[in-house]
Every structure is written in structure tokens, then in C-alpha cells.
Amino acid sequence: KKEKHESKIPYNHRCSTNSKQHTLCTREKDAEVITVKSDCMPLYKTYLAEYIDLHSTLMRLGETPGIQTVLDVFSENNTAYAVMDYILGISLKTYLSNCGETLSWEQMKDIFPPVLTTLGILHSKGIVHRAISPSTLFVTDKMELKLIGFGISASRTSDSDIASEIFEGYAPPEQYSNARRNGSWTDVFGICAVLYRCLTGQTPPSATARLNEDTLVEPMMINRAVPVNISKVIMKGLNLETSDRIGTINELVDRLF
């Protein structure tokens, strides 16, 4: 089965022109072709090219453990589309809800390594996901984890020129400001927030709230069954300061396993 996903530049996104918010593009009811506002055309073309480049890179990876396979990328209707392999399964969010909200570390260390390995590969190719959460991780019918929901960088930064999708509690401070540089450490924060959620049954407080008063409780203080070293590594990965956070997925894997 295949799913066709439209470009991550939907017509309700906006661009900033002369300090005002304007619609980036529109599509009339029952029409197929997207019409781009003339003053937003350069920005639209930039984001469209980034979308095509991102999914073309993912497609060249072929069938890779830990992520949804991109089968095709094509341009049509003045936008772009990615065709992706259908995943038979449920979101990790739903899976946790169905099994008592938590997982043991013994369960997790069997299913997370493929995703972590693939994240390391993606980072080496310059791809940062920026939206790792229980909603973008799927548990397949074979009990494998698959990461979905890749998007252009502007769609994952709250003060960019277009509407963004930020997963509160899983997004680090650098996703709330263009002044902060994103990188592999951004996804380290996201995956550590997911580990935290799985082990404790609680979503970490949002990064913006923690900047005012950091109330993040260590995992082993919530769930005594969490190994001490795992708890410490997760806290290091959730550090608000990038200079003090675990910087790469390879380092995270070394510390966890």
C-alpha cells in the first residue's frame, strides 16, 4: 500500500512581507493547482526546493530500518508530493496508552536501537528531524519502531516565516528561535524526551517553561525501576544548553548501551 502526502507547504502557511502576515499560497475549492502570492514566490520556491531535496535524499536511502520508506517524489499542481510506504501499526502514543503508559528499559532497548542507528545516518547526510515524539514514532505489527513526519526546517521552528508544528515537551529551546542553531543535538533532545515519556509515563515540561524554572524530575525519581545510568543519560540529553547536552546520536548510543 502507498500513501501520497502533499508538500509540507500547505496553503494556510504564511510569509512575512513588510511586517505583515500574508497567505503564502492558495488553492480554490475543487481546484488542483496551487496559486502562489507574487510577493511570496521566492520564499515558496525555497521551501519547495528544500522539501523536494529532503525527500529525494530519504528516497535514495531505500528501505532503511527505523524510518518510513519514501518510494517516490514528484512535482505537480505547482507543488510537490512524496509517496511513502504504508505502515501497518499504531503510533507510539497510542501504543503507550494501550499498555499502561510506560515501558520497561528491557523492552525499550530491544526496539529503539534501529531508530537511533538510522538517525545517526541521517545526521551524517545533514538531515535533522526536529519532530521526534510519540506521535511521529510508529510501532509496527512486527514490533518495530518507524520514524515518520519529516518536514522542512521552517516548519519545525516557531518563529520562522511559515506556520510551524512544534511538539511541546519534545522540542528543545533552539526550535523556538531562529537565533539558536539546530543540529544532531536537537534530535538527541527529542529522542531523550521520548525515552523519558516511555519510562515515566509523563511528558517532560516544555522547554520554554523550563527556561523560566527547570522543574524536570529525573526519571528514576518517578519510576524506581529505571536504571540509574539510563536516568542520568536521559537527563544529560534533555539539557537545555546545547553546550552541556549530549551532542550526537553516536554518543547517546554509547552512553545508553
Side-chain angles (χ1 to χ4, degrees):
K1 295 182 179 180
K2 299 178 181 179
E3 291 180 335
K4 185 168 76 172
H5 296 274
E6 191 166 331
S7 165
K8 291 292 184 179
I9 316 173
Y11 19 95
N12 64 343
H13 276 338
R14 302 179 179 276
C15 70
S16 299
T17 307
N18 298 325
S19 300
K20 296 180 180 180
Q21 291 293 311
H22 297 274
T23 301
L24 186 63
C25 50
T26 59
R27 181 159 62 192
E28 298 299 327
K29 184 180 180 180
D30 299 325
E32 294 183 351
V33 178
I34 286 177
T35 302
V36 183
K37 296 285 188 177
S38 58
D39 54 353
C40 293
M41 184 61 76
L43 185 61
Y44 183 85
K45 286 184 175 180
T46 297
Y47 290 153
L48 183 59
E50 185 180 346
Y51 177 88
I52 293 171
D53 182 62
L54 167 64
H55 286 85
S56 295
T57 301
L58 292 171
M59 183 174 66
R60 287 192 292 271
L61 289 175
E63 191 171 341
T64 305
I67 61 171
Q68 186 175 32
T69 303
V70 177
L71 303 172
D72 192 17
V73 182
F74 62 93
S75 298
E76 196 172 306
N77 300 327
N78 202 26
T79 184
Y81 300 85
V83 181
M84 301 177 179
D85 195 27
Y86 180 79
I87 298 176
L88 185 60
I90 58 176
S91 70
L92 179 60
K93 181 179 180 179
T94 301
Y95 183 81
L96 289 170
S97 177
N98 291 344
C99 64
E101 299 294 348
T102 63
L103 298 174
S104 69
W105 177 244
E106 290 300 315
Q107 292 172 299
M108 292 167 60
K109 68 182 184 182
D110 287 335
I111 62 175
F112 273 90
V115 172
L116 296 172
T117 298
T118 298
L119 271 176
I121 295 172
L122 293 175
H123 292 163
S124 70
K125 297 183 179 298
I127 296 176
V128 182
H129 190 278
R130 299 181 179 86
I132 300 172
S133 77
S135 297
T136 57
L137 282 163
F138 265 62
V139 182
T140 74
D141 59 332
K142 297 179 181 179
M143 282 304 297
E144 298 171 334
L145 275 186
K146 296 278 188 180
L147 182 62
I148 69 168
F150 288 84
I152 62 173
S153 58
S155 69
R156 305 299 188 198
T157 306
S158 65
D159 66 350
S160 67
D161 291 315
I162 62 174
S164 58
E165 183 181 30
I166 303 292
F167 291 87
E168 295 287 344
Y170 302 95
E174 58 264 28
Q175 285 186 248
Y176 292 89
S177 171
N178 273 324
R180 295 170 178 257
R181 195 162 64 93
N182 286 207
S184 57
W185 50 89
T186 303
D187 282 347
V188 167
F189 188 103
I191 200 70
C192 283
V194 170
L195 297 179
Y196 186 103
R197 168 66 182 84
C198 290
L199 289 169
T200 67
Q202 299 180 16
T203 300
S206 71
T208 51
R210 290 177 59 200
L211 285 172
N212 297 322
E213 181 182 2
D214 196 348
T215 57
L216 183 65
V217 179
E218 196 166 342
M220 65 179 184
M221 300 302 293
I222 301 172
N223 179 359
R224 295 293 183 179
V226 178
V228 174
N229 64 306
I230 300 302
S231 184
K232 298 293 184 186
V233 171
I234 290 173
M235 291 297 285
K236 185 73 172 175
L238 288 173
N239 201 300
L240 297 175
E241 295 296 331
T242 57
S243 58
D244 295 327
R245 192 185 308 157
I246 295 173
T248 68
I249 290 294
N250 289 341
E251 182 185 353
L252 177 64
V253 169
D254 286 343
R255 288 178 179 240
L256 286 174
F257 301 104

